[in-house]
Amino acid sequence: MNTEPIPNELLGDDIFIQKPSQNGWTDLYISNVRAERSSTIESGYPDKPREKTKLTVWYDCVNSRPQTEVECGMRIRFNGEIFDIVSVRVIRAKTPHHLKITAVKIGEYT
């Protein structure tokens, strides 16, 4: 299967991957990703609505920089918000093509 990299015009976002360290969290600046933030209302509506904010990040294994490992347990900082990474899905052609990273906002329920 011959799959092309994600087009650069779709990779206009930048994020910080936060990796746990002995002193808290270490930020790693990542450029050329696609970040899609979504918000939904869960159970309790309308009396006590609970908002759930999710971030989906598309990380291209060719065009996103720098190349790095991303795992559950890490966090993402995007536009001043912090998200816990809860899922990392590797999309493959012959080799890893891109990652679909799903993260939920810390303290998401209000």
Side-chain angles (χ1 to χ4, degrees), residues 49-101:
R50 297 189 315 180
E51 180 183 357
K52 183 174 184 181
T53 303
K54 181 173 85 169
L55 186 69
T56 302
V57 174
W58 301 92
Y59 175 95
D60 188 87
C61 293
V62 172
N63 293 317
S64 298
R65 294 281 183 255
Q67 298 295 300
T68 188
E69 297 277 327
V70 180
E71 302 171 349
C72 293
M74 295 177 175
R75 300 191 316 192
I76 295 173
R77 184 163 51 93
F78 178 68
N79 287 341
E81 296 177 299
I82 305 292
F83 299 83
D84 282 324
I85 296 175
V86 296
S87 171
V88 178
R89 180 175 171 217
V90 179
I91 312 298
R92 295 183 170 272
K94 289 183 180 177
T95 60
H97 180 268
H98 64 274
L99 305 178
K100 179 183 179 185
I101 304 164

Side-chain angles (χ1 to χ4, degrees), residues 1-12:
M1 175 180 203
N2 187 14
T3 305
E4 297 296 319
I6 299 172
N8 272 329
E9 59 268 13
L10 297 178
L11 300 173

